[in-house]
Coordinates of all heavy atoms in Angstrom, one line a residue:
Chain J
H25 N -217.9 -243.8 37.6 CA -217.1 -244.1 36.4 C -215.8 -244.8 36.8 O -215.4 -244.9 38.0 CB -216.9 -243.0 35.5 CG -216.3 -241.7 36.2 ND1 -215.1 -241.7 36.7 CD2 -216.9 -240.5 36.4 CE1 -214.9 -240.5 37.3 NE2 -216.0 -239.8 37.1
F27 N -212.6 -244.2 36.6 CA -211.6 -243.5 37.3 C -212.0 -243.3 38.8 O -211.2 -243.5 39.7 CB -211.4 -242.1 36.6 CG -210.4 -241.2 37.4 CD1 -209.1 -241.6 37.5 CD2 -210.9 -240.1 38.0 CE1 -208.2 -240.8 38.2 CE2 -210.0 -239.3 38.7 CZ -208.7 -239.6 38.8
K31 N -209.9 -244.7 42.0 CA -209.5 -243.8 43.0 C -209.9 -244.3 44.4 O -209.2 -244.3 45.4 CB -210.0 -242.4 42.7 CG -209.1 -241.3 43.2 CD -209.7 -240.0 42.5 CE -209.8 -238.9 43.6 NZ -210.4 -237.7 43.1
L43 N -202.4 -251.6 42.4 CA -203.4 -251.9 41.3 C -203.0 -251.1 40.1 O -202.9 -249.9 40.1 CB -204.8 -251.4 41.8 CG -205.9 -251.6 40.8 CD1 -206.2 -253.1 40.7 CD2 -207.2 -250.9 41.3
N44 N -202.8 -251.9 39.0 CA -202.7 -251.3 37.7 C -204.1 -250.9 37.3 O -205.0 -251.7 37.1 CB -202.2 -252.3 36.6 CG -200.7 -252.2 36.5 OD1 -200.1 -251.2 36.9 ND2 -200.1 -253.2 35.9
Q45 N -204.4 -249.6 37.3 CA -205.8 -249.1 37.2 C -206.5 -249.7 36.0 O -207.7 -249.9 36.0 CB -205.8 -247.6 37.3 CG -205.3 -247.1 38.6 CD -205.4 -245.6 38.8 OE1 -206.2 -245.0 38.1 NE2 -204.5 -245.1 39.6
G46 N -205.7 -249.9 34.9 CA -206.3 -250.4 33.7 C -207.0 -251.7 33.9 O -207.9 -252.0 33.2
T47 N -206.4 -252.6 34.8 CA -207.0 -253.9 34.9 C -208.4 -253.9 35.4 O -209.1 -254.9 35.4 CB -206.1 -254.8 35.9 OG1 -206.0 -254.0 37.1 CG2 -204.7 -255.1 35.3
Y49 N -210.8 -252.5 34.0 CA -211.8 -252.5 32.9 C -212.2 -253.9 32.5 O -213.4 -254.1 32.3 CB -211.3 -251.6 31.8 CG -211.3 -250.2 32.1 CD1 -210.3 -249.5 32.7 CD2 -212.5 -249.5 32.0 CE1 -210.4 -248.2 33.1 CE2 -212.7 -248.2 32.4 CZ -211.5 -247.5 33.0 OH -211.7 -246.2 33.4
L53 N -216.0 -255.3 32.7 CA -216.7 -255.9 31.6 C -217.3 -257.3 32.0 O -218.4 -257.7 31.7 CB -215.8 -256.1 30.4 CG -216.4 -256.7 29.1 CD1 -217.5 -255.8 28.6 CD2 -215.3 -256.9 28.1
R54 N -216.4 -258.0 32.8 CA -216.8 -259.3 33.2 C -218.0 -259.2 34.1 O -219.0 -260.0 34.0 CB -215.6 -260.0 34.0 CG -215.8 -261.4 34.4 CD -214.5 -262.1 34.8 NE -213.9 -261.3 35.9 CZ -212.7 -260.8 35.9 NH1 -212.0 -260.9 34.8 NH2 -212.2 -260.2 36.9
Q57 N -221.0 -258.6 32.0 CA -221.5 -259.7 31.3 C -222.2 -260.7 32.2 O -223.1 -261.4 31.8 CB -220.3 -260.5 30.7 CG -219.8 -259.8 29.4 CD -218.5 -260.3 28.9 OE1 -217.8 -261.1 29.6 NE2 -218.1 -259.9 27.7
S68 N -219.0 -236.6 33.3 CA -218.3 -236.7 34.6 C -218.2 -235.2 35.2 O -218.5 -234.3 34.5 CB -216.9 -237.3 34.4 OG -216.1 -236.4 33.6
R72 N -216.7 -234.3 31.1 CA -216.2 -235.1 30.0 C -217.2 -236.3 29.9 O -217.8 -236.6 30.8 CB -214.8 -235.7 30.3 CG -213.8 -234.6 30.6 CD -213.2 -234.1 29.2 NE -213.1 -235.1 28.3 CZ -211.9 -235.6 27.9 NH1 -210.8 -235.1 28.5 NH2 -211.8 -236.6 27.1
A74 N -218.1 -240.0 30.0 CA -217.6 -241.1 30.7 C -218.7 -242.2 30.9 O -219.8 -241.9 30.9 CB -217.0 -240.7 32.1
K75 N -218.2 -243.4 31.1 CA -219.1 -244.5 31.3 C -219.4 -244.7 32.7 O -218.4 -244.8 33.5 CB -218.5 -245.8 30.7 CG -219.6 -246.7 30.1 CD -218.9 -247.9 29.4 CE -219.8 -248.7 28.6 NZ -219.1 -249.8 27.9
Y77 N -220.9 -246.9 35.9 CA -221.3 -248.2 36.2 C -222.2 -248.1 37.5 O -222.0 -247.3 38.3 CB -220.1 -249.1 36.5 CG -219.3 -249.3 35.3 CD1 -218.2 -248.4 35.0 CD2 -219.5 -250.3 34.4 CE1 -217.5 -248.5 33.9 CE2 -218.7 -250.4 33.3 CZ -217.7 -249.5 33.0 OH -216.9 -249.7 31.9
Chain R
R4 N -221.8 -261.9 23.5 CA -220.4 -262.0 23.1 C -220.4 -262.1 21.6 O -219.6 -261.6 20.9 CB -219.7 -263.1 23.7 CG -219.4 -262.9 25.2 CD -218.6 -264.0 25.7 NE -218.2 -263.7 27.1 CZ -217.2 -264.3 27.7 NH1 -216.4 -265.1 27.0 NH2 -216.9 -264.1 29.0
E21 N -213.2 -244.4 26.9 CA -213.2 -244.7 28.4 C -211.8 -244.6 28.9 O -211.6 -244.0 30.0 CB -213.8 -246.1 28.6 CG -214.5 -246.2 29.9 CD -215.2 -247.5 30.1 OE1 -215.2 -248.3 29.1 OE2 -215.7 -247.8 31.2
F22 N -210.9 -245.2 28.2 CA -209.5 -245.2 28.7 C -208.9 -243.8 28.7 O -208.2 -243.4 29.6 CB -208.6 -246.1 27.8 CG -208.8 -247.6 28.0 CD1 -209.8 -248.1 28.8 CD2 -207.9 -248.5 27.5 CE1 -209.9 -249.4 29.1 CE2 -208.0 -249.9 27.7 CZ -209.1 -250.3 28.5
H24 N -210.5 -241.1 29.1 CA -211.1 -240.3 30.2 C -210.3 -240.6 31.5 O -209.9 -239.8 32.3 CB -212.6 -240.7 30.4 CG -213.2 -240.2 31.6 ND1 -213.4 -240.9 32.7 CD2 -213.6 -238.9 31.9 CE1 -214.0 -240.2 33.7 NE2 -214.1 -238.9 33.2
H25 N -210.0 -241.9 31.7 CA -209.3 -242.3 32.9 C -207.9 -241.7 32.9 O -207.6 -241.1 33.9 CB -209.2 -243.9 32.9 CG -208.9 -244.4 34.2 ND1 -209.6 -245.4 34.9 CD2 -207.8 -244.2 35.1 CE1 -209.1 -245.7 36.0 NE2 -208.0 -245.0 36.2
E27 N -206.7 -239.1 31.4 CA -206.7 -237.7 31.5 C -207.1 -237.2 32.9 O -206.6 -236.3 33.4 CB -207.7 -237.1 30.4 CG -207.0 -237.0 29.1 CD -208.0 -236.7 27.9 OE1 -209.1 -236.3 28.2 OE2 -207.6 -237.0 26.8
S28 N -208.0 -238.0 33.5 CA -208.4 -237.7 34.9 C -207.2 -237.8 35.8 O -206.9 -237.0 36.7 CB -209.5 -238.6 35.4 OG -210.6 -238.4 34.5
L29 N -206.5 -238.9 35.6 CA -205.3 -239.2 36.4 C -204.3 -238.0 36.2 O -203.7 -237.5 37.2 CB -204.6 -240.5 36.0 CG -205.1 -241.8 36.7 CD1 -204.4 -243.0 36.1 CD2 -204.7 -241.7 38.2
E32 N -205.1 -235.0 37.9 CA -204.8 -235.0 39.3 C -203.4 -234.8 39.7 O -203.0 -234.0 40.6 CB -205.3 -236.4 39.8 CG -206.0 -236.3 41.2 CD -206.5 -237.6 41.6 OE1 -205.6 -238.6 41.8 OE2 -207.7 -237.8 41.7
D50 N -199.5 -245.5 36.4 CA -200.6 -246.0 37.3 C -201.6 -246.9 36.5 O -202.2 -247.8 37.1 CB -201.4 -244.8 37.8 CG -200.6 -244.2 39.0 OD1 -199.5 -244.8 39.3 OD2 -201.1 -243.2 39.6
F51 N -201.8 -246.5 35.2 CA -202.8 -247.2 34.5 C -202.4 -248.6 34.1 O -203.2 -249.6 34.1 CB -203.2 -246.4 33.2 CG -204.4 -246.9 32.6 CD1 -205.7 -246.6 33.1 CD2 -204.4 -247.7 31.4 CE1 -206.8 -247.0 32.5 CE2 -205.6 -248.2 30.8 CZ -206.8 -247.8 31.4
G52 N -201.1 -248.8 33.9 CA -200.6 -250.1 33.5 C -200.4 -250.3 32.0 O -200.7 -249.3 31.2
I57 N -203.7 -254.6 28.6 CA -205.1 -254.5 29.1 C -206.1 -254.5 28.0 O -207.2 -255.2 28.1 CB -205.2 -253.1 29.9 CG1 -204.4 -253.3 31.2 CG2 -206.6 -252.8 30.2 CD1 -204.1 -252.0 31.9
Y61 N -209.0 -257.1 27.7 CA -210.4 -256.6 27.6 C -211.1 -257.2 26.4 O -212.2 -257.7 26.5 CB -210.4 -255.1 27.4 CG -211.7 -254.4 27.5 CD1 -212.2 -254.0 28.8 CD2 -212.5 -254.2 26.4 CE1 -213.5 -253.4 28.9 CE2 -213.7 -253.6 26.5 CZ -214.2 -253.2 27.7 OH -215.4 -252.7 27.8
Q64 N -212.0 -260.8 26.9 CA -213.2 -260.9 27.8 C -214.5 -260.5 27.0 O -215.5 -261.1 27.2 CB -213.0 -259.9 29.0 CG -214.2 -259.9 30.0 CD -214.3 -261.3 30.6 OE1 -213.3 -261.9 30.9 NE2 -215.5 -261.8 30.8
R65 N -214.3 -259.6 26.0 CA -215.4 -259.2 25.3 C -215.9 -260.2 24.3 O -217.1 -260.5 24.2 CB -215.1 -257.9 24.5 CG -216.3 -257.3 23.8 CD -215.8 -256.0 23.1 NE -214.8 -256.3 22.1 CZ -214.0 -255.4 21.6 NH1 -214.0 -254.2 22.1 NH2 -213.1 -255.7 20.7

Side-chain angles (χ1 to χ4, degrees):
Chain J
H25 50 67
F27 174 67
K31 211 168 133 187
L43 179 69
N44 268 342
Q45 298 184 23
T47 53
Y49 289 93
L53 183 63
R54 188 167 56 241
Q57 280 167 352
S68 67
R72 303 280 318 256
K75 211 174 192 179
Y77 297 89
Chain R
R4 286 186 179 202
E21 210 176 355
F22 281 12
H24 173 257
H25 195 124
E27 280 165 15
S28 304
L29 271 177
E32 221 175 61
D50 281 0
F51 194 77
I57 288 166
Y61 190 89
Q64 182 61 40
R65 182 180 61 201

